[in-house]
């Protein structure tokens, strides 16, 4: 997170934010840091700005955007009504990595919601994001600031790799903290709360606050059901080389590497610090410490991007337990693999 510890940085920070908010006022789009990943923001009430977001990302326009706010008062013009459970969740998790789907207010354009009658809203827990949104004076519609299909950016450098020449600027806030996107929950269907995308806030945390069961949209796991969150149907988070998720031992993964190499292919392994020393491959890249899943989430996208530089032809990745933040980690890895999954016999 951005620390401002001397006067020179203060000046630089203020001038960045002033310049960036001027761009927003001219319906341009600007990347900015949040606690999860960088967002590509534009005035949520400007169809011109929304068009530019889709264009810069190369994103299909039926995939709706999350609207980012800095104050609760900004909800008024965005949402139709606020369900009780949404109120509870906002109280517990805002600002923070929780996106809530509300019935849409009449001022919100169909360009933002991909034609849906609901709108996704979140208040990010990042000082620079909050200050930036305030200085713009409007809510910011913002998807993750990557090219469509690529891993989400967790640093300004990642944004630059994907979007330089396509947007006027990036507000640099250093590395993001959480590293995977917000949890998306649907509160628009009466009395029911459904997770549409696992993320920084876990199912366990949601249930604890609500005191009732939270549903999980089955389209995460079933390929042929239409997802309620349109974004979940696209290939995502993918490095350049094919990525294969392997449910098996380290020995089995090393065997796969050996096989690939014997066929003349450069192979990489996505692992964690605990297992890094075990493998011999063209690129062995650890994403955090397995025993602390939040460190895996924080390092995941940077690790996926690092394989592009290593110029491997195939990547094998270890699996993680699907609970807590592991839900989000596995969801992103399964998307990155696009269904490419191997299971060791007798495992
Ligand atoms: O952490 C995050 O959520 C980051 C930062 C920048 O805030 N943003 C982000 O946005 O991940 P994006 O556009 O990459 O993902 C938004 C997800 C997509 O899966 C989209 O389909 C879903 O939210 N979504 C947006 N509006 C929706 C709606 N009205 N109903 C259902 N799903 C919606
Ligand atoms: Mg995204």
């Amino acid at each position: 997170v951005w620390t401002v510890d001397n006067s020179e940085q203060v000046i630089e920070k203020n001038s960045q934010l002033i310049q960036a908010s001027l761009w927003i006022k001219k319906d341009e789009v600007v990347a900015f840091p949040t606690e999860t990943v960088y967002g590509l923001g534009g005035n949520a009430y400007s169809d011109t700005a929304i068009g530019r977001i889709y264009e810069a990302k190369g994103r299909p326009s039926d995939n709706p955007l999350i609207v980012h706010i800095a104050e609760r008062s900004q909800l008024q013009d965005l949402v139709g009504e606020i369900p009780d459970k949404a109120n509870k969740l906002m109280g517990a998790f805002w600002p923070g990595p929780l996106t809530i789907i509300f019935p849409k207010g009449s001022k919100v354009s169909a360009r933002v919601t991909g034609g849906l009658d609901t709108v996704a809203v979140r208040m990010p827990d990042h000082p620079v994001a909050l200050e930036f949104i305030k200085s713009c004076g409007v809510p910011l519609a913002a998807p993750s600031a990557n090219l469509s299909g690529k891993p989400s950016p967790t640093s300004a450098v990642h944004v630059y790799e994907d979007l330089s020449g396509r947007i006027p600027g990036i507000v640099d806030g250093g590395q993001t903290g959480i590293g995977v996107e917000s949890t998306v929950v649907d509160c628009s269907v009466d009395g029911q709360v459904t997770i549409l995308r696992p993320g920084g806030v876990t199912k366990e945390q949601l249930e604890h606050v609500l005191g009732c069961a939270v549903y999980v949209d089955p389209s995460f796991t079933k390929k042929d059901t239409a997802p309620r969150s349109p974004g979940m149907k696209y290939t995502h988070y993918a490095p350049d080389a094919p990525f294969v998720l392997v449910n098996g031992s380290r020995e089995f993964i090393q065997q796969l590497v050996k096989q690939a190499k014997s066929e003349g292919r450069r192979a990489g392994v996505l692992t964690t610090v605990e297992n890094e020393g075990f493998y011999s491959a063209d690129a062995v890249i650890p994403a955090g410490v397995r025993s602390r899943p939040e460190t895996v989430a924080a390092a995941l996208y940077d690790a996926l991007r690092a394989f592009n530089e290593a110029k491997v032809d195939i990547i094998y990745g270890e699996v993680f337990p699907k609970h807590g933040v592991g839900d989000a980690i596995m969801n992103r890895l399964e998307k990155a693999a696009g269904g490419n999954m191997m299971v060791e016999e007798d495992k």
Side-chain angles (χ1 to χ4, degrees):
V1 174
W2 202 348
T3 54
V4 179
D5 52 15
N6 65 47
S7 55
E8 223 174 81
Q9 272 183 304
V10 173
I11 292 165
E12 200 179 286
K13 175 194 142 185
N14 285 336
S15 63
Q16 267 198 51
L17 284 187
I18 289 167
Q19 177 59 59
S21 61
L22 286 177
W23 278 321
I24 295 292
K25 283 166 193 157
K26 289 185 190 151
D27 293 334
E28 290 287 350
V29 297
V30 180
F32 66 98
T34 80
E35 81 279 30
T36 57
V37 300
Y38 275 72
L40 179 59
N43 179 350
Y45 294 123
S46 158
D47 277 358
T48 309
I50 305 305
R52 286 184 172 145
I53 291 174
Y54 285 107
E55 195 182 312
K57 266 188 76 96
R59 175 175 175 132
S61 60
D62 68 337
N63 190 359
L65 306 176
I66 296 172
V67 179
H68 295 67
I69 60 174
E71 283 155 358
R72 282 266 200 122
S73 60
Q74 291 181 304
L75 262 187
Q76 234 157 49
D77 288 338
L78 290 171
V79 311
E81 56 168 310
I82 301 178
D84 283 350
K85 285 189 176 146
N87 246 326
K88 262 195 181 165
L89 294 177
M90 288 189 285
F93 298 108
W94 279 10
L98 182 72
T99 296
I100 301 176
I101 310 286
F102 295 93
K104 171 177 106 59
S106 57
K107 276 193 170 181
V108 179
S109 133
R111 297 280 283 149
V112 174
T113 66
L116 298 173
D117 54 12
T118 54
V119 61
V121 186
R122 99 174 179 97
M123 188 188 289
D125 186 16
H126 193 293
V128 178
L130 292 172
E131 203 179 326
F132 179 46
I133 298 165
K134 279 183 199 156
S135 67
C136 293
V138 288
L140 296 181
S144 50
N146 50 288
L147 277 179
S148 196
K150 299 283 174 206
S152 296
T154 52
S155 71
V157 173
H158 294 166
V159 180
Y160 187 84
E161 279 169 9
D162 278 16
L163 298 179
S164 87
R166 301 173 77 102
I167 60 172
I170 305 168
V171 176
D172 186 354
Q175 290 279 123
T176 62
I178 293 178
V180 291
E181 299 83 348
S182 61
T183 303
V184 179
V185 293
D186 191 347
C187 287
S188 70
V189 185
D190 32 39
Q192 217 171 287
V193 175
T194 307
I195 298 177
L196 305 188
R197 178 179 73 180
V201 172
T202 66
K203 180 168 188 274
E204 293 82 352
Q205 288 175 304
L206 292 169
E207 290 183 331
H208 182 76
V209 163
L210 292 171
C212 69
V214 165
Y215 300 85
V216 177
D217 184 38
S219 58
F220 294 158
T221 43
K222 284 192 212 123
K223 261 203 177 145
D224 36 343
T225 28
R228 272 163 68 180
S229 180
M232 301 310 285
K233 73 177 182 244
Y234 298 106
T235 313
H236 259 98
Y237 318 113
D240 296 344
F243 176 70
V244 183
L245 205 45
V246 187
N247 186 0
S249 62
R250 298 182 302 185
E251 290 75 11
F252 182 65
I253 294 175
Q254 183 60 49
Q255 197 57 42
L256 293 170
V257 169
K258 209 175 144 195
Q259 175 70 30
K261 291 191 69 70
S262 76
E263 292 161 4
R265 289 184 294 160
R266 285 174 60 79
V269 179
L270 177 67
T271 180
T272 60
V273 169
E274 288 96 330
N275 289 342
E276 189 183 1
F278 180 85
Y279 297 105
S280 146
D282 295 297
V284 179
I285 299 178
V289 182
R290 175 171 284 275
S291 59
R292 290 176 52 220
E294 69 284 359
T295 66
V296 176
L300 191 65
Y301 292 144
D302 189 60
L304 286 175
R305 281 176 180 262
F307 284 107
N308 295 346
E309 240 156 82
K311 303 234 179 318
V312 291
D313 303 305
I314 181 124
I315 306 158
Y316 296 105
E318 296 175 351
V319 295
F320 294 86
K322 283 189 188 177
H323 54 75
V325 73
D327 266 339
I329 293 167
M330 281 302 285
N331 170 263
R332 305 311 189 269
L333 288 177
E334 282 166 2
K335 296 274 158 197
N340 246 334
M341 181 100 180
M342 285 187 74
V343 183
E344 184 178 4
E345 301 281 316
D346 299 316
K347 265 300 276 186

